[in-house]
Amino acid sequence: MSRVFLLFVLITSSLFVQSQNHPTDYFRAPLDIPMVLSGTFGELRSNHFHAGIDIKTQGASGLKVYAVADGYVSRIKVSPWGYGKAIYITHSNGYTSVYAHLKNYHSSIQDYVRKAQYKKESYSIELFPNKEELTVKKGDLIAFSGNSGSSAAPHLHFELRTSNNEFPQNGLQFGFDIKDEIPPIIREIKVTPRGKGSQVSQQNLAKAFKSLGKNGTYKIEAPISIHGSASIGIYTHDLLNGANNKNGVYSIELLIDSQQVYYHQMDEFGFHETHYINSHIDYAEKQQSKKRLHSCYLEANNQLTIYEHVENKGIITPEGTHRAKFIVKDVYGNTSVLNFTLTNTSYIPPSNDVVSPPISSIFSYQKAHIFKGEGLELHIPKNALYDSLYFQYTVSPDTFTNCYAPVHHVHNKNVALHKSYAISIDNTVSGSLKEKAFIAQIGDKGQTIYRGGKWVNGKLTTKLKSFGDYSVAIDTLAPTIKPLNIHPNKHMTSSTLKMRVLDDLSGIKTYRAEIDGEWVLMEFDPKKARLTHYFKNSLQKGDHTFTLEIIDDRANVSHYKVGFSR
């Protein structure tokens, strides 16, 4: 093989790899309206990074959704939660496109799903068609946009994933016609002391500093004094033309005296690592103020792969005075810069030290732990924590109103967990009430929040994803059923039958609807607490009987029965 030919092969191979990484002329838009976004890739969400882009649908449901390229429907999922009604299409170039929160599917896809739902007698379903069953061409109508699942408003959630490993990709890198000329907004930074004796502005607590500026140029006017070591987080978001939504940024870089000490960018991530967002953000700040700050500090068990460079885990120990700079970019290269100054100061004894509860134990994140308190037992698995933890535990001597156990104060709700841990609580529930008992989290306003539970070796046990205050309560109240458009002996001319169903504590576990003793499909929308049945054309004219059974998670049952005609 000649050197010239070898060089040609290497160059063309390189270009092919680059085009395969981000083909910019392969996919069409999934909608036929201008692409105005309400959410971007990598945006900071509750317990996860946003895996796609959210396309506005002009405030309405029912817009036509098209296949972005040739391929086949490889997965269909219907759920009251999460993505709601979703379609996954696998393409020959190594990518899979995802369309979520749909109102319904088109034609043959809708028939395929409906047949499977009736066969399984379940609204929630997941299907994996083979390559030949549901093929599509670029531009084929596949569905209609909606607001199903855990969606706050009508829109289309759209993703591109690599088919081999299902890693979501930054959809803004694939050549879609999206206008963005606005640099990211930088609201503030937060400086947190790290290490014994460290201080920020002569205090032992973290402190926020508001930024001044606009149009990509920002500053903190006064120098920020640090004694010892600290980390610096940033509160920032992006804007796109035509919308006021606060979107995620593409990259964040921190420079100290022109030396890079932190850099991450959002090109892709795996679903197996998305929960590490609770370590990436300042979790305590999110719990207290609802703000999601990039902490720019790496805890020991943060295994996210988005970090390109982090010096000394993001900990800074200034000596003298230093010029610092945050550089924040969106995916289109619009850039904002925040300049500020760090200066080292001497230690000042604090005037009012914060008194913390005594430490009950020290937990290494690298090991599993069993902790036993007063009528309480915890099993914390290996790598459930993001860092080693000085664990705090107390128990209230009195039983909370409507509870059957003391309130156990399990560490601090401001500390994040990566994995669930098991909790068992001794209690005074007995007899027939045992099947109604559950582990209850006590909220800030004293409310009981359902956290499930089952009896294991005589103890009520469940798995929890957060620290906080816990006790035991019971749920003996059956769900409520309210008909919305039907009453006894009504002649139903509507195409739908609608019911409102509520359960305020343990939540609806299962439901079953029948017409004349045969199971019928009812779509469940938890946001509206609504069940909807779409009458089939095959339903004969005449008198019919509709029945509905609702069971909550503590086996409380409600029934509804009504006669109607068509």
Side-chain angles (χ1 to χ4, degrees), residues 194 226 228-232 254 256 261 311-312 314-318 342:
R194 300 286 178 185
I226 297 173
S229 300
S231 63
I232 308 174
L254 175 59
I256 306 294
V261 297
E311 195 78 26
N312 193 30
I315 297 175
I316 299 162
T317 307
L342 302 175

Side-chain angles (χ1 to χ4, degrees), residues 192-243:
T192 302
R194 300 286 178 185
K196 188 176 181 180
S198 293
Q199 294 181 322
V200 175
S201 297
Q202 301 179 340
Q203 297 293 323
N204 297 344
L205 302 174
K207 184 175 180 179
F209 299 87
K210 300 288 184 182
S211 66
L212 300 174
K214 59 182 179 179
N215 299 328
T217 302
Y218 297 89
K219 66 179 179 178
I220 306 291
E221 278 194 328
I224 300 171
S225 62
I226 297 173
H227 174 79
S229 300
S231 63
I232 308 174
I234 184 169
Y235 184 37
T236 180
H237 61 81
D238 191 32
L239 295 175
L240 285 82
N241 293 56

Side-chain angles (χ1 to χ4, degrees), residues 294-341:
H294 300 265
S295 71
C296 303
Y297 165 72
L298 256 62
E299 294 180 293
N301 191 31
N302 181 348
Q303 298 180 35
L304 267 173
T305 57
I306 65 171
Y307 305 110
E308 300 287 333
H309 178 219
V310 182
E311 195 78 26
N312 193 30
K313 300 195 302 183
I315 297 175
I316 299 162
T317 307
E319 296 179 1
T321 300
H322 305 268
R323 293 181 178 179
K325 177 188 300 185
F326 268 113
I327 303 174
V328 183
K329 297 182 180 181
D330 64 29
V331 76
Y332 297 108
N334 299 303
T335 302
S336 290
V337 177
L338 170 69
N339 287 287
F340 56 103
T341 301

Side-chain angles (χ1 to χ4, degrees), residues 268-316:
E268 69 169 15
F269 60 83
F271 285 108
H272 66 282
E273 60 178 338
T274 189
H275 197 70
Y276 285 108
I277 189 173
N278 288 326
S279 182
H280 174 81
I281 65 172
D282 186 327
Y283 187 81
E285 182 68 39
K286 179 237 178 185
Q287 291 293 97
Q288 294 164 1
S289 70
K290 308 304 180 185
K291 296 177 183 177
R292 293 189 176 99
L293 278 71
H294 300 265
S295 71
C296 303
Y297 165 72
L298 256 62
E299 294 180 293
N301 191 31
N302 181 348
Q303 298 180 35
L304 267 173
T305 57
I306 65 171
Y307 305 110
E308 300 287 333
H309 178 219
V310 182
E311 195 78 26
N312 193 30
K313 300 195 302 183
I315 297 175
I316 299 162

